[in-house]
């Protein structure tokens, strides 16, 4: 059908006022143009909407039915427009963000709290999952955005770099490295090492560090979670090379973080969204808040 919004508005004006002249004045148009608009609408619908006499204009049965339906349709349209404007102005909506558990715990609670204070009508839902699940959730639309460290060349997502996260050495308070300001990779030779499993991207970077230092990597323990590695470090079972954001979890353990040098190895913490989809104003605003809190995780000299 080629029915226009203007035709419906003109029809409703005539229906309410019962007069083409008064309806034309309200619609700010000439009466012949308004009459033609209503005729075109009737022709498109294939029914007569008004019974016209020289003295009055009355709705037909079809006209009364169409008036009820078209008024509801206009109300729904106005509601849809208002919703869109609310989203544009960040007054309403929902954001679903996916992130790995430790990074989510370190960055997102305070970021979500500040965002809610700024935009109380926008709800933020957190999905804490592994890196591979983050990318898939964003690709499929299960999540609107994601936070994490991702390998290059991920199809279906676009990324916004937030911070550079350097690898650090974590040791117990009574470890020989505790008094050092920095630690060289080659200094790790012979020290018992606690690493993450090969499923973690961090493990690959640790292997690169050991290879560059030309020392053998022989982990004493391999674990799946950063918090587990920190607990083993606290128990004095070895040292561990972990990302800087692990400092947030290290506060709950008697461990210290020391910058690793020669070489310094870092990776990018990114905010991702699906390729080919427009980013909502709410998500764009949320990414800015997340960036601020992500930067607070990293000491100034490593940021």
């Amino acid at each position: 059908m080629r029915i226009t919004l203007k035709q419906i508005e003109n029809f409703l004006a005539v229906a309410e006022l019962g007069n083409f002249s008064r309806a034309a004045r309200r619609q700010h148009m000439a009466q012949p143009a308004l009459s033609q608009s209503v005729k075109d609408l009737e022709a498109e619908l294939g029914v007569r909407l008004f019974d016209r006499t020289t003295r009055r204009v009355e709705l037909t049965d079809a006209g009364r039915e169409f008036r009820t339906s078209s008024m509801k349709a206009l109300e729904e349209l106005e509601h849809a427009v208002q919703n869109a404007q609310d989203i544009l102005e960040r007054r309403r909506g929902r954001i679903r963000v996916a992130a790995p558990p430790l990074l989510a715990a370190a960055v997102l609670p305070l970021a979500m709290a500040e965002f809610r204070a700024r935009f109380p009508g926008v709800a933020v839902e957190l999905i804490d999952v592994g890196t591979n699940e983050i990318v898939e959730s964003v690709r499929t639309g299960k999540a609107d955005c994601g936070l994490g460290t991702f390998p290059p060349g991920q199809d279906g997502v676009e990324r916004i770099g937030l911070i550079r996260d350097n690898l650090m050495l974590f040791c117990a308070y009574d470890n020989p490295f505790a008094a050092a300001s920095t630690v060289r990779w080659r200094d790790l030779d012979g020290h018992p090492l606690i690493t993450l499993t090969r499923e973690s991207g961090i493990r690959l970077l640790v292997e690169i560090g050991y290879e560059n230092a030309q020392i053998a990597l022989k982990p004493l323990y391999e674990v799946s979670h950063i918090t587990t590695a920190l607990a083993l470090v606290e128990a004095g079972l070895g040292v561990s090379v972990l990302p800087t954001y692990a400092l947030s979890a290290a506060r709950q353990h008697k461990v210290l973080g020391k910058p690793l040098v020669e070489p310094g190895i870092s990776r990018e913490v990114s905010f991702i969204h699906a390729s080919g989809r427009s980013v909502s104003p709410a998500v764009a605003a949320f990414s800015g808040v997340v960036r601020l809190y992500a930067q607070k995780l990293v000491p100034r000299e490593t940021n």
Side-chain angles (χ1 to χ4, degrees), residues 245-260:
Y245 66 77
L247 286 170
S248 62
R251 299 187 189 106
Q252 303 171 27
H253 300 274
K254 294 178 181 179
V255 300
L256 299 169
K258 302 292 178 176
L260 272 170

Side-chain angles (χ1 to χ4, degrees), residues 25-47:
R25 286 195 294 272
R26 174 190 284 187
Q27 297 299 101
H28 304 289
M29 58 191 305
Q31 180 179 332
L34 182 136
S35 297
Q36 187 60 51
S37 173
V38 173
K39 288 180 181 179
D40 292 341
L41 176 61
E42 289 176 323
E44 190 64 36
L45 293 173
V47 295

Side-chain angles (χ1 to χ4, degrees), residues 29-213:
M29 58 191 305
Q31 180 179 332
L34 182 136
S35 297
Q36 187 60 51
S37 173
V38 173
K39 288 180 181 179
D40 292 341
L41 176 61
E42 289 176 323
E44 190 64 36
L45 293 173
V47 295
R48 179 180 290 277
L49 299 173
F50 295 105
D51 285 327
R52 303 165 177 82
T53 68
T54 55
R55 297 183 178 180
R56 64 179 185 270
V57 176
E58 293 182 351
L59 286 167
T60 62
D61 289 342
R64 282 188 288 272
E65 182 69 25
F66 185 71
R67 179 187 185 185
T68 300
S69 299
S70 59
M71 287 179 68
K72 290 180 180 178
L74 279 185
E75 288 174 1
E76 287 295 324
L77 179 59
E78 290 173 359
H79 183 63
V81 170
Q82 185 61 55
N83 283 346
Q85 291 174 340
D86 286 347
I87 292 172
L88 180 61
E89 296 174 12
R90 307 181 188 96
R91 292 199 298 256
R92 297 181 59 190
R94 180 182 65 170
I95 299 172
R96 294 160 298 183
V97 55
L102 181 57
L103 190 55
V107 178
L108 292 181
L110 292 177
M112 291 166 64
E114 178 168 330
F115 187 81
R116 183 173 65 179
R118 292 189 192 181
F119 310 108
V122 181
V124 180
E125 297 179 6
L126 173 59
I127 308 170
D128 52 346
V129 293
T131 298
N132 291 336
E133 293 176 82
I134 293 170
V135 174
E136 189 61 23
S137 295
V138 172
R139 281 179 184 149
T140 60
K142 182 179 179 181
D144 300 298
C145 53
L147 177 68
T149 54
F150 308 100
Q154 291 280 355
D155 294 331
V157 296
E158 297 180 17
R159 66 182 69 200
I160 301 169
L162 300 180
I163 56 172
R164 296 297 303 182
D165 182 67
N166 291 354
L167 292 189
M168 301 185 75
L169 180 77
F170 287 80
C171 63
Y173 287 171
D174 58 355
N175 187 276
F177 291 124
S181 58
T182 60
V183 177
R184 297 172 299 180
W185 282 91
R186 64 175 176 269
D187 294 335
L188 301 182
D189 191 21
H191 285 269
L193 181 69
I194 301 158
T195 69
L196 299 182
T197 61
R198 292 181 180 275
E199 286 71 29
S200 169
I202 297 170
R203 171 61 178 269
L204 175 60
L205 295 180
V206 173
E207 292 176 354
I208 292 172
Y210 270 71
E211 183 179 347
N212 285 339

